[in-house]
Amino acid sequence: MGRLQNRTAVITGGGSGMGAAVVGRFVEEGARVVVLDRVQDKLDALEASYGDAVRGVLGSVTEYADNAQACAVAQREFGGLDVFIGNAGIWDFSRALLDSTPEHLVAGFDELFSVNVKGYVLGARAAAPLLRESRGSMIFTLSNAAFYPGGGGVLYTAAKHAGHGLVRQLAYELAPEIRVNAVAPGGMATDLRGPAAMDLSGESISTAIPIGQIVRENSALEIEPLPEDYAEAYVLLGAARESRTATGTVIDLSGFGTPRRPR
Ligand SMILES: NC(=O)c1ccc[n+]([C@@H]2O[C@H](COP(=O)([O-])OP(=O)(O)OC[C@H]3O[C@@H](n4cnc5c(N)ncnc54)[C@H](O)[C@@H]3O)[C@@H](O)[C@H]2O)c1
């Protein structure tokens, strides 16, 4: 029997990349999953792959009503909610402060923080009443950029550090009924895009730069990580028994805390 048998999850941004890998692992472990994403084609593809185990909800994490709708679908279709995973995010393509126009900083801040931070706050607000009933858990996708500089530009690094603070605060506020934790992946070749307000929504991290090669050449373990490498940590944090003592913590699987040895 799977470790998430009969558990229900909502995952934001589950349409591709990290989120899609988590959807796959959750379904394998017996969970039923509602995915909130802003791209209909991605939702259609997930429903085609996983059938009755997955329901797609089209919307934006920046809207409270869309987060609430995803949680309502979990309750109506699957009978409740055990795990909320805030994962949808955008990246600033490592745009440095002095390489950004003031106009791009103003508009880019609002757009990036709206998705990466406000989206997590609104999702938590929508999910908390149901998670309190089920004594469930929240999991957020952070990043090496929640700990270290250089994984993004000023906006992304600030937003992922903000996400780290949010995990600590929510763990404190929502205990003892709800556990709140996070996973920090490192760089992966995904569809990760940037703020339209900075003209960065047209391409993705995997088309813009050789991200796998960059990570391999700059990390201690010299590997190109895949989203699947990180998905197991979400299963651990989403399971009822296996991580019952964990709250307010971030599992940093990025490996970026260890510098590459000079050769
Ligand atoms: N790719 C990396 O190198 C990397 C590294 C560390 C952390 N992360 C984090 O992983 C998470 C997932 O990113 P990914 O790399 O899998 O990228 P991705 O673009 O493949 O997946 C993100 C998903 O979120 C959706 N999305 C974006 N904005 C949305 C919104 N406003 N409302 C609803 N859905 C929205 C996208 O359509 C997409 O399906 C993000 O939080 C990202 O910051 C990524």
Side-chain angles (χ1 to χ4, degrees), residues 14 53 58-59 63 89 94 115 130 150 160 162 167 171 178 192 200 205 214 248:
L58 184 66
E63 301 294 327
S94 290
V115 178
L130 290 171
K160 287 298 179 186
V167 166
I178 305 173
L192 188 64
L200 293 174
I205 191 170
I214 291 171

Side-chain angles (χ1 to χ4, degrees), residues 22-208:
V22 174
V23 173
R25 284 294 292 117
F26 268 49
V27 171
E28 265 174 29
E29 292 288 346
R32 290 161 302 171
V33 184
V34 176
V35 176
L36 172 61
D37 204 288
R38 64 178 174 180
V39 180
Q40 184 66 53
D41 287 353
K42 293 180 177 181
L43 296 173
D44 292 344
L46 285 176
E47 288 185 343
S49 297
Y50 298 114
D52 286 346
V54 173
R55 292 275 188 286
V57 172
L58 184 66
S60 176
V61 295
T62 60
E63 301 294 327
Y64 177 74
D66 294 346
N67 285 285
Q69 170 70 4
C71 295
V73 168
Q75 186 174 36
R76 191 179 66 233
E77 306 270 326
F78 298 143
L81 182 65
D82 302 294
V83 185
F84 173 82
I85 303 175
N87 166 79
I90 55 177
W91 187 52
D92 59 6
F93 287 76
S94 290
R95 186 69 64 81
L97 183 75
L98 295 180
D99 294 334
S100 308
T101 64
E103 294 74 22
H104 271 168
L105 286 174
V106 169
F109 181 97
D110 287 350
E111 188 175 342
L112 191 142
F113 270 71
S114 188
V115 178
N116 292 17
V117 185
K118 185 168 79 176
Y120 284 5
V121 172
L122 297 180
R125 182 65 185 84
L130 290 171
L131 295 177
R132 193 161 259 172
E133 273 177 43
S134 64
R135 297 188 80 92
S137 86
M138 294 183 190
I139 308 168
F140 294 96
T141 300
L142 296 182
S143 164
N144 48 294
F147 298 94
Y148 318 112
V154 282
L155 299 181
Y156 186 78
T157 302
K160 287 298 179 186
H161 275 66
H164 198 157
L166 183 65
V167 166
R168 291 182 167 131
Q169 181 66 20
L170 288 176
Y172 171 72
E173 290 187 14
L174 299 175
E177 293 92 355
I178 305 173
R179 298 184 300 109
V180 183
N181 297 290
V183 178
M188 309 164 269
T190 66
D191 194 33
L192 188 64
R193 288 170 188 260
M198 296 172 82
D199 300 324
L200 293 174
S201 62
E203 54 181 342
S204 70
I205 191 170
S206 52
T207 57

